[in-house]
Short mmCIF file of all heavy atoms in Angstrom, two decimals:
data_model
loop_
_atom_site.label_atom_id
_atom_site.label_comp_id
_atom_site.label_asym_id
_atom_site.label_seq_id
_atom_site.Cartn_x
_atom_site.Cartn_y
_atom_site.Cartn_z
N ARG K 1 7.00 7.53 8.81
CA ARG K 1 6.76 8.44 9.92
C ARG K 1 5.28 8.99 9.83
O ARG K 1 4.86 9.65 10.81
CB ARG K 1 7.72 9.61 9.84
CG ARG K 1 9.19 9.20 9.97
CD ARG K 1 10.08 10.35 9.55
NE ARG K 1 9.85 10.80 8.17
CZ ARG K 1 10.47 11.79 7.61
NH1 ARG K 1 11.40 12.47 8.29
NH2 ARG K 1 10.21 12.16 6.37
N ASN K 2 4.62 8.71 8.76
CA ASN K 2 3.26 9.22 8.57
C ASN K 2 2.31 8.66 9.62
O ASN K 2 2.35 7.45 9.97
CB ASN K 2 2.84 8.76 7.17
CG ASN K 2 1.41 9.14 6.81
OD1 ASN K 2 0.52 8.35 7.16
ND2 ASN K 2 1.19 10.24 6.12
N ARG K 3 1.37 9.47 10.06
CA ARG K 3 0.46 9.08 11.14
C ARG K 3 -0.45 7.94 10.73
O ARG K 3 -0.70 7.01 11.48
CB ARG K 3 -0.40 10.26 11.56
CG ARG K 3 -1.39 9.97 12.69
CD ARG K 3 -2.26 11.11 13.01
NE ARG K 3 -3.34 10.73 13.95
CZ ARG K 3 -4.53 11.26 14.00
NH1 ARG K 3 -4.88 12.19 13.11
NH2 ARG K 3 -5.41 10.85 14.86
N LEU K 4 -0.95 7.97 9.46
CA LEU K 4 -1.80 6.94 8.94
C LEU K 4 -1.08 5.60 8.88
O LEU K 4 -1.61 4.51 9.20
CB LEU K 4 -2.36 7.28 7.60
CG LEU K 4 -3.33 6.30 6.95
CD1 LEU K 4 -4.52 5.99 7.86
CD2 LEU K 4 -3.81 6.86 5.59
N TYR K 5 0.21 5.63 8.45
CA TYR K 5 1.00 4.46 8.39
C TYR K 5 1.15 3.82 9.75
O TYR K 5 0.95 2.60 9.95
CB TYR K 5 2.42 4.76 7.84
CG TYR K 5 3.36 3.57 7.81
CD1 TYR K 5 3.48 2.78 6.71
CD2 TYR K 5 4.11 3.30 8.94
CE1 TYR K 5 4.31 1.68 6.68
CE2 TYR K 5 4.95 2.20 8.95
CZ TYR K 5 5.07 1.36 7.84
OH TYR K 5 5.89 0.32 7.82
N LYS K 6 1.49 4.64 10.76
CA LYS K 6 1.65 4.13 12.13
C LYS K 6 0.32 3.57 12.70
O LYS K 6 0.33 2.56 13.38
CB LYS K 6 2.18 5.22 13.01
CG LYS K 6 3.61 5.63 12.67
CD LYS K 6 4.10 6.77 13.60
CE LYS K 6 5.53 7.13 13.27
NZ LYS K 6 6.00 8.26 14.15
N TRP K 7 -0.77 4.18 12.31
CA TRP K 7 -2.08 3.72 12.84
C TRP K 7 -2.40 2.37 12.24
O TRP K 7 -2.86 1.46 12.99
CB TRP K 7 -3.16 4.73 12.44
CG TRP K 7 -4.48 4.48 13.09
CD1 TRP K 7 -4.91 4.96 14.34
CD2 TRP K 7 -5.54 3.64 12.66
NE1 TRP K 7 -6.17 4.47 14.65
CE2 TRP K 7 -6.58 3.64 13.64
CE3 TRP K 7 -5.72 2.86 11.49
CZ2 TRP K 7 -7.76 2.92 13.47
CZ3 TRP K 7 -6.87 2.15 11.35
CH2 TRP K 7 -7.86 2.14 12.34
N ILE K 8 -2.21 2.15 10.96
CA ILE K 8 -2.48 0.87 10.35
C ILE K 8 -1.49 -0.18 10.87
O ILE K 8 -1.84 -1.33 11.11
CB ILE K 8 -2.47 0.91 8.81
CG1 ILE K 8 -3.64 1.78 8.34
CG2 ILE K 8 -2.56 -0.44 8.21
CD1 ILE K 8 -3.81 1.83 6.85
N GLN K 9 -0.26 0.19 11.07
CA GLN K 9 0.76 -0.74 11.63
C GLN K 9 0.27 -1.22 12.98
O GLN K 9 0.50 -2.39 13.34
CB GLN K 9 2.07 0.01 11.73
CG GLN K 9 3.21 -0.94 12.08
CD GLN K 9 4.56 -0.19 12.05
OE1 GLN K 9 4.64 0.93 12.60
NE2 GLN K 9 5.57 -0.75 11.42
N LYS K 10 -0.37 -0.35 13.75
CA LYS K 10 -0.85 -0.73 15.10
C LYS K 10 -2.19 -1.46 15.08
O LYS K 10 -2.39 -2.39 15.81
CB LYS K 10 -0.97 0.53 15.96
CG LYS K 10 -1.44 0.22 17.38
CD LYS K 10 -1.58 1.55 18.20
CE LYS K 10 -2.06 1.28 19.59
NZ LYS K 10 -2.22 2.53 20.37
N ASN K 11 -3.06 -1.08 14.16
CA ASN K 11 -4.44 -1.56 14.19
C ASN K 11 -4.79 -2.51 13.03
O ASN K 11 -5.89 -3.05 13.01
CB ASN K 11 -5.43 -0.38 14.16
CG ASN K 11 -5.29 0.52 15.38
OD1 ASN K 11 -5.78 0.17 16.44
ND2 ASN K 11 -4.62 1.63 15.20
N GLY K 12 -3.86 -2.68 12.11
CA GLY K 12 -4.16 -3.56 10.98
C GLY K 12 -2.92 -4.33 10.53
O GLY K 12 -2.13 -4.83 11.34
N CYS K 13 -2.68 -4.40 9.21
CA CYS K 13 -1.58 -5.17 8.67
C CYS K 13 -0.89 -4.39 7.59
O CYS K 13 -1.54 -4.00 6.58
CB CYS K 13 -2.15 -6.51 8.15
SG CYS K 13 -0.88 -7.59 7.41
N VAL K 14 0.42 -4.19 7.73
CA VAL K 14 1.22 -3.51 6.74
C VAL K 14 2.10 -4.55 6.02
O VAL K 14 2.80 -5.31 6.67
CB VAL K 14 2.14 -2.40 7.34
CG1 VAL K 14 3.05 -1.85 6.31
CG2 VAL K 14 1.26 -1.34 7.99
N THR K 15 2.03 -4.56 4.68
CA THR K 15 2.81 -5.51 3.89
C THR K 15 3.69 -4.80 2.90
O THR K 15 3.15 -4.14 1.95
CB THR K 15 1.86 -6.50 3.17
OG1 THR K 15 1.03 -7.13 4.09
CG2 THR K 15 2.70 -7.54 2.40
N GLU K 16 5.01 -4.85 3.07
CA GLU K 16 5.94 -4.27 2.14
C GLU K 16 6.38 -5.36 1.16
O GLU K 16 6.89 -6.35 1.55
CB GLU K 16 7.13 -3.67 2.83
CG GLU K 16 8.13 -3.03 1.86
CD GLU K 16 9.27 -2.32 2.56
OE1 GLU K 16 9.38 -2.44 3.79
OE2 GLU K 16 10.11 -1.68 1.85
N CYS K 17 6.23 -5.07 -0.14
CA CYS K 17 6.58 -6.07 -1.16
C CYS K 17 7.90 -5.66 -1.76
O CYS K 17 7.98 -4.94 -2.76
CB CYS K 17 5.50 -6.13 -2.26
SG CYS K 17 3.84 -6.59 -1.62
N ALA K 18 8.97 -6.10 -1.19
CA ALA K 18 10.31 -5.85 -1.63
C ALA K 18 10.74 -6.82 -2.75
O ALA K 18 10.14 -7.89 -2.85
CB ALA K 18 11.30 -5.90 -0.47
N PRO K 19 11.70 -6.48 -3.58
CA PRO K 19 12.23 -7.43 -4.54
C PRO K 19 12.61 -8.75 -3.87
O PRO K 19 13.21 -8.73 -2.77
CB PRO K 19 13.43 -6.75 -5.14
CG PRO K 19 13.08 -5.29 -5.00
CD PRO K 19 12.36 -5.17 -3.71
N GLN K 20 12.25 -9.88 -4.44
CA GLN K 20 12.46 -11.17 -3.83
C GLN K 20 13.96 -11.56 -3.90
O GLN K 20 14.57 -11.33 -4.95
CB GLN K 20 11.64 -12.23 -4.48
CG GLN K 20 10.12 -11.97 -4.32
CD GLN K 20 9.67 -12.00 -2.90
OE1 GLN K 20 9.73 -13.04 -2.20
NE2 GLN K 20 9.25 -10.82 -2.40
N PRO K 21 14.52 -12.15 -2.86
CA PRO K 21 15.90 -12.62 -2.94
C PRO K 21 16.08 -13.76 -3.91
O PRO K 21 15.15 -14.56 -4.16
CB PRO K 21 16.23 -13.09 -1.51
CG PRO K 21 14.86 -13.35 -0.89
CD PRO K 21 13.91 -12.42 -1.55
N GLU K 22 17.27 -13.86 -4.49
CA GLU K 22 17.54 -14.88 -5.52
C GLU K 22 17.25 -16.29 -5.01
O GLU K 22 16.71 -17.13 -5.75
CB GLU K 22 18.99 -14.76 -5.97
CG GLU K 22 19.37 -15.63 -7.12
CD GLU K 22 20.77 -15.36 -7.58
OE1 GLU K 22 21.47 -14.48 -7.04
OE2 GLU K 22 21.20 -16.04 -8.56
N LYS K 23 17.59 -16.56 -3.73
CA LYS K 23 17.41 -17.90 -3.20
C LYS K 23 15.94 -18.31 -3.16
O LYS K 23 15.64 -19.52 -3.20
CB LYS K 23 18.00 -17.99 -1.76
CG LYS K 23 17.30 -17.12 -0.72
CD LYS K 23 17.95 -17.31 0.63
CE LYS K 23 17.31 -16.40 1.70
NZ LYS K 23 15.90 -16.77 1.93
N ASP K 24 15.03 -17.34 -3.10
CA ASP K 24 13.61 -17.64 -3.15
C ASP K 24 13.06 -17.72 -4.57
O ASP K 24 12.11 -18.48 -4.86
CB ASP K 24 12.79 -16.57 -2.40
CG ASP K 24 13.05 -16.63 -0.88
OD1 ASP K 24 13.52 -17.67 -0.40
OD2 ASP K 24 12.82 -15.61 -0.23
N LEU K 25 13.73 -16.97 -5.45
CA LEU K 25 13.26 -16.94 -6.87
C LEU K 25 13.63 -18.21 -7.62
O LEU K 25 12.96 -18.62 -8.56
CB LEU K 25 13.79 -15.73 -7.57
CG LEU K 25 13.12 -14.41 -7.22
CD1 LEU K 25 13.85 -13.25 -7.91
CD2 LEU K 25 11.67 -14.41 -7.59
N ILE K 26 14.76 -18.86 -7.22
CA ILE K 26 15.22 -20.08 -7.93
C ILE K 26 14.16 -21.15 -7.87
O ILE K 26 13.70 -21.67 -8.92
CB ILE K 26 16.56 -20.54 -7.42
CG1 ILE K 26 17.69 -19.53 -7.84
CG2 ILE K 26 16.90 -21.91 -7.96
CD1 ILE K 26 18.98 -19.76 -7.15
N PRO K 27 13.63 -21.51 -6.68
CA PRO K 27 12.59 -22.55 -6.63
C PRO K 27 11.29 -22.03 -7.22
O PRO K 27 10.49 -22.81 -7.74
CB PRO K 27 12.42 -22.81 -5.12
CG PRO K 27 13.03 -21.70 -4.42
CD PRO K 27 14.11 -21.18 -5.30
N TRP K 28 11.05 -20.71 -7.17
CA TRP K 28 9.82 -20.15 -7.75
C TRP K 28 9.81 -20.30 -9.26
O TRP K 28 8.79 -20.66 -9.85
CB TRP K 28 9.72 -18.65 -7.37
CG TRP K 28 8.47 -17.99 -7.84
CD1 TRP K 28 7.21 -18.06 -7.25
CD2 TRP K 28 8.36 -17.16 -8.99
NE1 TRP K 28 6.35 -17.28 -8.02
CE2 TRP K 28 7.01 -16.72 -9.04
CE3 TRP K 28 9.25 -16.71 -9.96
CZ2 TRP K 28 6.53 -15.86 -10.05
CZ3 TRP K 28 8.77 -15.84 -10.98
CH2 TRP K 28 7.45 -15.45 -11.02
N VAL K 29 10.96 -20.13 -9.89
CA VAL K 29 11.11 -20.33 -11.36
C VAL K 29 10.78 -21.83 -11.65
O VAL K 29 10.00 -22.11 -12.60
CB VAL K 29 12.52 -19.97 -11.87
CG1 VAL K 29 12.78 -20.52 -13.25
CG2 VAL K 29 12.72 -18.48 -11.83
N ALA K 30 11.36 -22.73 -10.92
CA ALA K 30 11.14 -24.15 -11.14
C ALA K 30 9.69 -24.49 -10.96
O ALA K 30 9.12 -25.28 -11.71
CB ALA K 30 12.02 -24.97 -10.18
N ALA K 31 9.06 -23.91 -9.91
CA ALA K 31 7.67 -24.21 -9.65
C ALA K 31 6.76 -23.66 -10.76
O ALA K 31 5.77 -24.32 -11.16
CB ALA K 31 7.22 -23.62 -8.31
N TYR K 32 7.07 -22.47 -11.29
CA TYR K 32 6.30 -21.93 -12.39
C TYR K 32 6.36 -22.80 -13.61
O TYR K 32 5.33 -23.03 -14.31
CB TYR K 32 6.76 -20.47 -12.71
CG TYR K 32 5.89 -19.75 -13.70
CD1 TYR K 32 4.84 -18.98 -13.25
CD2 TYR K 32 6.14 -19.82 -15.07
CE1 TYR K 32 4.03 -18.26 -14.15
CE2 TYR K 32 5.37 -19.13 -15.95
CZ TYR K 32 4.30 -18.36 -15.50
OH TYR K 32 3.49 -17.70 -16.40
N LEU K 33 7.57 -23.26 -13.91
CA LEU K 33 7.70 -24.17 -15.08
C LEU K 33 6.98 -25.46 -14.85
O LEU K 33 6.35 -26.00 -15.79
CB LEU K 33 9.22 -24.38 -15.35
CG LEU K 33 9.98 -23.22 -15.90
CD1 LEU K 33 11.52 -23.57 -15.93
CD2 LEU K 33 9.51 -22.79 -17.28
N LYS K 34 7.02 -25.94 -13.68
CA LYS K 34 6.40 -27.23 -13.37
C LYS K 34 4.86 -27.11 -13.55
O LYS K 34 4.22 -28.06 -14.07
CB LYS K 34 6.68 -27.65 -11.92
CG LYS K 34 6.14 -29.03 -11.55
CD LYS K 34 6.55 -29.43 -10.11
CE LYS K 34 6.01 -30.80 -9.80
NZ LYS K 34 6.36 -31.23 -8.40
N ARG K 35 4.27 -26.01 -13.13
CA ARG K 35 2.84 -25.80 -13.37
C ARG K 35 2.47 -25.83 -14.84
O ARG K 35 1.32 -26.04 -15.21
CB ARG K 35 2.40 -24.50 -12.69
CG ARG K 35 2.33 -24.51 -11.22
CD ARG K 35 1.53 -23.36 -10.63
NE ARG K 35 2.07 -22.05 -10.99
CZ ARG K 35 3.00 -21.38 -10.30
NH1 ARG K 35 3.49 -21.97 -9.19
NH2 ARG K 35 3.43 -20.22 -10.63
N ASN K 36 3.47 -25.55 -15.67
CA ASN K 36 3.24 -25.52 -17.13
C ASN K 36 3.88 -26.73 -17.79
O ASN K 36 4.22 -26.73 -18.96
CB ASN K 36 3.76 -24.24 -17.73
CG ASN K 36 2.94 -23.01 -17.33
OD1 ASN K 36 1.96 -22.74 -18.00
ND2 ASN K 36 3.33 -22.35 -16.27
N HIS K 37 4.08 -27.81 -16.95
CA HIS K 37 4.54 -29.09 -17.44
C HIS K 37 5.94 -29.04 -18.04
O HIS K 37 6.22 -29.71 -19.03
CB HIS K 37 3.52 -29.66 -18.49
CG HIS K 37 2.12 -29.61 -18.03
ND1 HIS K 37 1.60 -30.36 -16.98
CD2 HIS K 37 1.08 -28.86 -18.49
CE1 HIS K 37 0.35 -30.01 -16.78
NE2 HIS K 37 -0.02 -29.14 -17.69
N LYS K 38 6.78 -28.20 -17.43
CA LYS K 38 8.19 -28.06 -17.85
C LYS K 38 9.09 -28.29 -16.67
O LYS K 38 8.71 -28.08 -15.49
CB LYS K 38 8.46 -26.69 -18.47
CG LYS K 38 7.62 -26.33 -19.69
CD LYS K 38 8.00 -27.15 -20.89
CE LYS K 38 7.14 -26.75 -22.10
NZ LYS K 38 7.48 -27.59 -23.27
N THR K 39 10.37 -28.64 -16.90
CA THR K 39 11.32 -28.78 -15.87
C THR K 39 12.60 -28.01 -16.25
O THR K 39 12.84 -27.73 -17.45
CB THR K 39 11.71 -30.27 -15.60
OG1 THR K 39 12.29 -30.81 -16.84
CG2 THR K 39 10.49 -31.08 -15.25
N CYS K 40 13.42 -27.72 -15.28
CA CYS K 40 14.74 -27.17 -15.52
C CYS K 40 15.63 -27.52 -14.38
O CYS K 40 15.14 -27.68 -13.23
CB CYS K 40 14.69 -25.67 -15.78
SG CYS K 40 14.45 -24.67 -14.29
N SER K 41 16.93 -27.53 -14.57
CA SER K 41 17.85 -27.80 -13.48
C SER K 41 18.02 -26.52 -12.68
O SER K 41 17.68 -25.40 -13.11
CB SER K 41 19.24 -28.16 -14.05
OG SER K 41 19.84 -27.08 -14.76
N ARG K 42 18.55 -26.64 -11.44
CA ARG K 42 18.79 -25.47 -10.60
C ARG K 42 19.78 -24.53 -11.30
O ARG K 42 19.58 -23.29 -11.28
CB ARG K 42 19.34 -25.92 -9.25
CG ARG K 42 19.64 -24.76 -8.34
CD ARG K 42 20.26 -25.18 -7.03
NE ARG K 42 20.56 -24.02 -6.19
CZ ARG K 42 19.74 -23.45 -5.38
NH1 ARG K 42 18.47 -23.88 -5.30
NH2 ARG K 42 20.07 -22.37 -4.67
N ARG K 43 20.76 -25.08 -11.97
CA ARG K 43 21.73 -24.22 -12.66
C ARG K 43 21.10 -23.44 -13.76
O ARG K 43 21.42 -22.26 -13.96
CB ARG K 43 22.88 -25.10 -13.21
CG ARG K 43 24.00 -24.29 -13.82
CD ARG K 43 25.15 -25.19 -14.37
NE ARG K 43 26.18 -24.43 -15.06
CZ ARG K 43 27.17 -23.85 -14.48
NH1 ARG K 43 27.28 -23.87 -13.14
NH2 ARG K 43 28.07 -23.15 -15.16
N THR K 44 20.15 -24.03 -14.48
CA THR K 44 19.43 -23.31 -15.53
C THR K 44 18.60 -22.20 -14.97
O THR K 44 18.53 -21.08 -15.51
CB THR K 44 18.55 -24.26 -16.37
OG1 THR K 44 19.41 -25.22 -16.99
CG2 THR K 44 17.77 -23.53 -17.42
#
């Protein structure tokens, strides 16, 4: 409800960083391991 928040929402970009859903974190875990030359199953 803050005036500055509403102003940036109208004139700029507001980004809320909420906890990521599990369905997005599962491939993110696999991708992080892959960048470090590791693999894991989806179940792991």
Side-chain angles (χ1 to χ4, degrees):
R1 300 167 300 178
N2 176 275
R3 183 185 171 210
L4 180 56
Y5 176 92
K6 292 179 178 178
W7 190 90
I8 293 184
Q9 191 176 44
K10 180 180 178 181
N11 297 281
C13 180
V14 174
T15 304
E16 181 176 6
C17 301
Q20 298 297 293
E22 186 175 359
K23 65 180 179 63
D24 293 340
L25 285 175
I26 290 169
W28 183 79
V29 166
Y32 188 89
L33 290 173
K34 185 177 180 180
R35 288 196 299 272
N36 289 275
H37 313 293
K38 301 289 181 181
T39 62
C40 75
S41 67
R42 180 182 178 85
R43 185 177 176 85
T44 298

